[in-house]
Amino acid sequence: MAKWGQGDPRWIVEERADATNVNNWHWTERDATSWSKNKLKEVLVGLVVEGEAGRCEISDLKHVEGEASCNSRKGKLIFFYEWNLRLGWRGTVKESGEKHKGSVEIPNLSEENEVDDTEINVSKKKGEGDVLKDLMRTEGTTKVREALRDYLKALKTEFTLGMILPTKATVSQELATERKLSGNTMQDSVSPQSLDIVGVKIPTVKILMREVFNSPADELYSIFTTKELVQKFSKCSAVIEAEKGGKLQMFDGCISGEYTELVPSQRIVLKWRCRSWPDEHYATVALNFKDMAAQTELQLECKGVPVSNEDSTRQCWKKQYFEEIHILLQQSKDTVE
């Protein structure tokens, strides 16, 4: 029998701030199905294929059936996914200008097969336009495979961020290195026990972004605080309680938080987190609206973002927020005109 304090460190429950999966040893599973459906739509819809015959585009994701998950065990990630997809495509013949439609079937995208070996079938509705069908079978299939690789890359990087958490030992090493680099020497009289780390310190960064919108400040402010408008640009159901202490939930629960400060048309402060982050870890997001007559400059400050999530957080604000809000504003303008 092991003596007290001398057990296998993999089984020792350390004191942690998030109280989950000590030393990354226990089996954990995260459902990636909803996230994957959104990501597959993002990487596939709008895909353009051009050649001498003409131009084609993946117009929509007609059918998506399947599931995906990520499991963590002993610090390793294991992925399971199986998808049956049907895409719609439309194209224009270069010489005649004729327009045609068709489908792309992907009956079994799974971890059991490499993307290059995954079956992809292209069909076209009756009539002329076989040159477009051939274009989709050749160039189109290549583009679709590239998009599927992008999905799998995101599944294994973007979705899994935060699943393998730093342990007490690695954080101690990081802090020792920081102290050494900063020249912060310690007196011999300091007891090692007094320097012990309780919980895990998550290294974080601050993100600063600016974006100019063709909208007055009050209109842009309302897009962040009105449930119907949030649901329009996010294309998902949302919980928006725009008052101090009110809840925030977007993108099928991938983003959640709380409103902590609201100054109409001027400023919004949020507790904000991605679902893939360590449990109960929130960043502080400040949105400042600078009115520029017909335009507004939005200044974003996001403090407390886990270092490993910096890039994905930037992309989230750029792609899921800013670009979609631009589209919503343009659609509103077109409707008025």
Side-chain angles (χ1 to χ4, degrees), residues 54-215:
R55 182 182 188 278
C56 297
E57 179 182 342
I58 302 296
S59 55
D60 56 78
L61 185 56
K62 291 180 175 293
H63 175 78
V64 52
E65 180 181 4
E67 59 184 354
S69 64
C70 177
N71 301 280
S72 172
R73 174 70 165 122
K74 301 181 185 179
K76 295 182 180 180
L77 296 175
I78 304 168
F79 300 90
F80 300 98
Y81 54 91
E82 186 173 5
W83 295 105
N84 181 339
L85 309 173
R86 184 170 73 252
L87 314 172
W89 65 267
R90 59 192 177 200
T92 305
V93 179
K94 189 173 184 178
E95 290 186 358
S96 65
E98 293 178 350
K99 298 184 183 298
H100 298 277
K101 296 181 179 181
S103 298
V104 177
E105 302 273 353
I106 307 171
N108 185 26
L109 173 66
S110 75
E111 78 280 353
E112 296 179 357
N113 302 305
E114 296 293 332
V115 172
D116 287 340
D117 300 325
T118 299
E119 182 182 355
I120 298 178
N121 301 314
V122 177
S123 61
K124 183 187 70 63
K125 291 187 176 181
K126 293 181 179 180
E128 301 294 330
D130 286 341
V131 290
L132 293 182
K133 182 178 178 181
D134 292 339
L135 177 62
M136 287 298 297
R137 278 179 172 172
T138 54
E139 298 295 326
T141 296
T142 300
K143 286 285 189 73
V144 168
R145 290 191 195 281
E146 290 175 358
L148 295 178
R149 290 191 192 95
D150 288 342
Y151 155 67
L152 294 178
K153 181 180 178 181
L155 175 65
K156 296 175 181 179
T157 55
E158 179 183 326
F159 178 78
T160 59
L161 290 174
M163 288 192 71
I164 301 297
L165 302 177
T167 64
K168 182 176 179 179
T170 58
V171 173
S172 297
Q173 293 171 2
E174 290 174 3
L175 291 177
T177 302
E178 289 177 7
R179 292 188 184 106
K180 186 175 181 180
L181 292 174
S182 64
N184 182 18
T185 57
M186 300 180 187
Q187 302 297 324
D188 292 340
S189 60
V190 178
S191 168
Q193 286 81 359
S194 67
L195 301 174
D196 204 11
I197 301 167
V198 178
V200 170
K201 172 188 173 184
I202 301 173
T204 63
V205 295
K206 178 170 69 174
I207 293 174
L208 299 174
M209 300 176 71
R210 294 171 182 266
E211 188 78 8
V212 176
F213 294 89
N214 293 322
S215 164

Side-chain angles (χ1 to χ4, degrees), residues 296-319:
T296 301
E297 181 185 73
L298 180 63
Q299 300 174 354
L300 165 72
E301 179 184 84
C302 191
K303 295 190 296 185
V305 177
V307 170
S308 59
N309 297 84
E310 180 180 2
D311 289 341
S312 62
T313 302
R314 285 184 180 276
Q315 287 301 307
C316 175
W317 280 98
K318 182 175 184 294
K319 298 288 186 180

Side-chain angles (χ1 to χ4, degrees), residues 5-22:
Q6 295 182 4
D8 187 330
R10 296 172 301 179
W11 295 100
I12 295 174
V13 178
E14 299 174 357
E15 292 180 312
R16 292 180 56 104
D18 51 23
T20 56
N21 204 12
V22 174

Side-chain angles (χ1 to χ4, degrees), residues 230-273:
V230 170
Q231 291 181 155
K232 278 188 177 181
F233 83 76
S234 67
K235 299 179 177 65
C236 296
S237 59
V239 175
I240 302 295
E241 299 174 356
E243 59 184 12
K244 188 172 182 179
K247 293 181 180 179
L248 165 75
Q249 190 175 88
M250 298 174 61
F251 305 112
D252 292 326
C254 290
I255 299 298
S256 60
E258 178 183 309
Y259 289 91
T260 60
E261 181 184 347
L262 297 103
V263 181
S265 305
Q266 296 181 35
R267 179 175 169 86
I268 298 173
V269 180
L270 307 164
K271 281 177 59 181
W272 187 93
R273 62 175 270 106

